[in-house]
Amino acid sequence: MSFDAKVIKVLIASPGDVANEREAIAEVISRWNSMNSETLQVVLLPVGWETHSAPLLGGRAQGFINEQVVNGCDMLVGVFWTRLGSPTGVSESGTVEEIEHFIDNGKPVMLYFSSQQVDINNLDLEQLQSLRAFQKKMQKIGLTGSYRNLPDFKEQLLGQLSINIQRLNNGEPINVPTEAEVKEKAKVLKKAIKEGRVYMEDYEKDGHVKSFLVKGDTKEIKDGIKNLGGKWNRALQGWIFPKSMEIEVADFIKNNT
């Protein structure tokens, strides 16, 4: 049966080493639509340069992609593994230029970085170094997630899509905070929930803090924690998250406990 719906265009952004993930994003969007479109009256449309742009001469290639594809999209899902991509003359790569466009225009950006193993013989160390520098930059403003394999990526994306779709549907602005604002908000939120029955603590490994744990009585909110991408660690007796999710998780705990 037909129904009226709002169409939200989702740009799939990535370098060329994650073809499987690009297909997975389209699959997850199709699954999200089958589960939610009729109820929410929202349909997600996956958009990529390979299907939504046409060749033109007389200008910058990424500029044409921006005009034909990027400018008309509402949110972006970006994924990286070992490469950042090739410079465009404006940004470090076409994917980075697309991400910067979305950030500058206050549109939702969801970035994922793969931790899958790679054959070192096929590794471009210069590309990897550029990618890690970009990842570190994005982590400071809280835009990143990580995944171990394709099933993990699909599971995270399906749950986290709904969060941003709800924001878009409600007309909520997407404000990207500065690094200082991120640190201050995290400090305030962690202090607010410290005395509660659910709490957060940093997890240090090999002398570095790259993750944190949600511990305590999480039984009533475990489904929400899973949807945010939390992974239960039996040995540590807590839900583990990357540091980039600190504010989002702290907000969730504060509002649901």
Side-chain angles (χ1 to χ4, degrees):
M1 185 174 179
S2 64
F3 60 93
D4 293 328
K6 178 180 180 180
V7 176
I8 293 178
K9 294 182 178 180
V10 182
L11 180 64
I12 302 173
S14 75
D17 62 337
V18 285
N20 290 336
E21 281 83 345
R22 292 183 70 86
E23 292 181 6
I25 293 170
E27 290 174 12
V28 170
I29 287 174
S30 177
R31 183 180 173 193
W32 189 95
N33 283 335
S34 67
M35 294 168 59
N36 299 287
S37 287
E38 188 166 0
T39 302
L40 300 179
Q41 295 186 310
V42 172
V43 172
L44 306 186
L45 177 65
V47 175
W49 65 266
E50 64 269 63
T51 56
H52 288 74
S53 63
L56 285 173
L57 297 177
R60 195 171 61 91
Q62 185 61 43
F64 288 137
I65 292 174
N66 292 346
E67 293 173 8
Q68 296 179 21
V69 180
V70 177
N71 295 343
C73 290
D74 303 294
M75 65 182 296
L76 179 149
V77 177
V79 60
F80 297 90
W81 184 20
T82 65
R83 298 182 57 83
L84 187 62
S86 302
T88 64
V90 173
S91 295
E92 297 171 86
S93 75
T95 306
V96 172
E97 186 172 331
E98 292 163 1
I99 292 167
E100 290 172 343
H101 173 84
F102 271 72
I103 292 174
D104 290 343
N105 286 275
K107 296 180 180 180
V109 173
M110 303 171 66
L111 297 186
Y112 297 88
F113 293 84
S114 174
S115 59
Q116 298 176 94
Q117 291 185 345
V118 61
D119 183 351
I120 193 169
N121 295 316
N122 297 326
L123 197 59
D124 183 326
L125 295 180
E126 186 175 340
Q127 277 285 316
L128 184 61
Q129 184 178 18
S130 297
L131 174 60
R132 292 297 176 245
F134 175 72
Q135 181 179 6
K136 186 175 181 181
K137 178 182 176 182
M138 291 296 99
Q139 286 173 336
K140 290 180 180 178
I141 55 177
L143 293 174
T144 70
S146 63
Y147 63 95
R148 302 182 303 276
N149 49 46
L150 273 179
D152 182 35
F153 174 58
K154 290 179 180 180
E155 182 182 351
Q156 289 191 51
L157 180 60
L158 182 63
Q160 293 166 6
L161 265 176
S162 294
I163 297 171
N164 280 314
I165 297 307
Q166 183 177 7
R167 290 172 177 169
L168 274 176
N169 218 22
N170 293 339
E172 298 178 23
I174 307 297
N175 297 317
V176 179
T178 65
E179 183 179 352
E181 289 171 338
V182 169
K183 289 181 178 179
E184 181 59 28
K185 184 172 183 181
K187 181 180 178 180
V188 171
L189 285 170
K190 288 173 74 174
K191 182 178 179 180
I193 66 174
K194 189 174 181 180
E195 301 302 325
R197 55 191 177 87
V198 179
Y199 60 95
M200 296 163 55
E201 63 179 32
D202 288 338
Y203 172 55
E204 182 176 327
K205 185 177 181 180
D206 300 327
H208 300 283
V209 177
K210 296 182 179 180
S211 307
F212 68 92
L213 293 163
V214 175
K215 306 184 77 172
D217 184 4
T218 60
K219 184 177 180 180
E220 294 182 1
I221 61 170
K222 68 176 184 180
D223 289 340
I225 291 176
K226 286 182 181 178
N227 287 338
L228 287 172
K231 302 297 179 185
W232 176 254
N233 188 301
R234 183 177 297 178
L236 298 173
Q237 288 295 294
W239 299 89
I240 195 162
F241 287 91
K243 286 289 284 184
S244 58
M245 291 285 293
E246 196 168 42
I247 290 178
E248 188 173 348
V249 173
D251 266 327
F252 173 80
I253 294 172
K254 183 180 178 182
N255 293 329
N256 292 275
T257 57

